[in-house]
Amino acid sequence: QVRLWESGGGLVQPGGSLRLSCQASGNIFTIDTMGWYRQAPGKQRELVATLTGGGSAQYVDSVKDRFVMSRDNAKNRAYLNMTSLKPEDTAVYYCNAKITTWDGDEKDYWGQGTQVTVSS
């Protein structure tokens, strides 16, 4: 069994910073691409950033130069450092990971989400 969970969300003022963490645990052989997604009220879930195991990152245009995704492959963790936060960044942020288990199964896993609220 594989678990994926996020932490680090909260309330922050515009212009502030937050660091989200994503932890994977369980019967993990390898983790390929990890990603952060977000869903604001009344909107569809959108991709924020992805990072391959080899270190190739991609970001949605709205967060470029403000958000940085990183990974600690030895600890099966991913991070999202968010700076210069704007009210429009308010959303539930979800971690996603493509994980292969020791049983040879590969599939996408999702965390339960962590709320980020940017407001004065």
Side-chain angles (χ1 to χ4, degrees):
Q1 289 73 21
V2 173
R3 273 192 67 208
L4 200 65
W5 71 95
E6 306 91 342
S7 61
L11 173 64
V12 63
Q13 292 187 342
S17 301
L18 276 177
R19 187 193 199 206
L20 304 183
S21 298
C22 172
Q23 177 72 61
S25 69
N27 187 28
I28 297 171
F29 173 65
T30 187
I31 301 178
D32 190 359
T33 299
M34 299 185 77
W36 288 96
Y37 293 71
R38 66 186 180 187
Q39 187 166 18
K43 294 188 176 181
Q44 290 187 333
R45 189 175 297 189
E46 68 166 348
L47 174 65
V48 176
T50 60
L51 184 60
T52 67
S56 179
Q58 290 189 324
Y59 301 90
V60 67
D61 286 346
S62 60
V63 308
K64 283 180 181 176
D65 300 324
R66 298 190 299 121
F67 292 8
V68 176
M69 183 175 177
S70 60
R71 290 174 61 162
D72 184 336
N73 292 326
K75 296 181 177 179
N76 291 334
R77 289 179 187 164
Y79 305 96
L80 187 66
N81 284 294
M82 305 184 294
T83 62
S84 301
L85 282 161
K86 305 175 181 180
E88 51 263 44
D89 295 317
T90 295
V92 178
Y93 283 71
Y94 297 90
C95 180
N96 169 270
K98 185 181 294 292
I99 295 173
T100 301
T101 66
W102 284 101
D103 302 324
D105 293 329
E106 180 191 69
K107 70 177 207 179
D108 279 333
Y109 291 85
W110 290 89
Q112 82 291 345
T114 185
Q115 176 71 46
V116 172
T117 303
V118 185
S119 175
S120 55

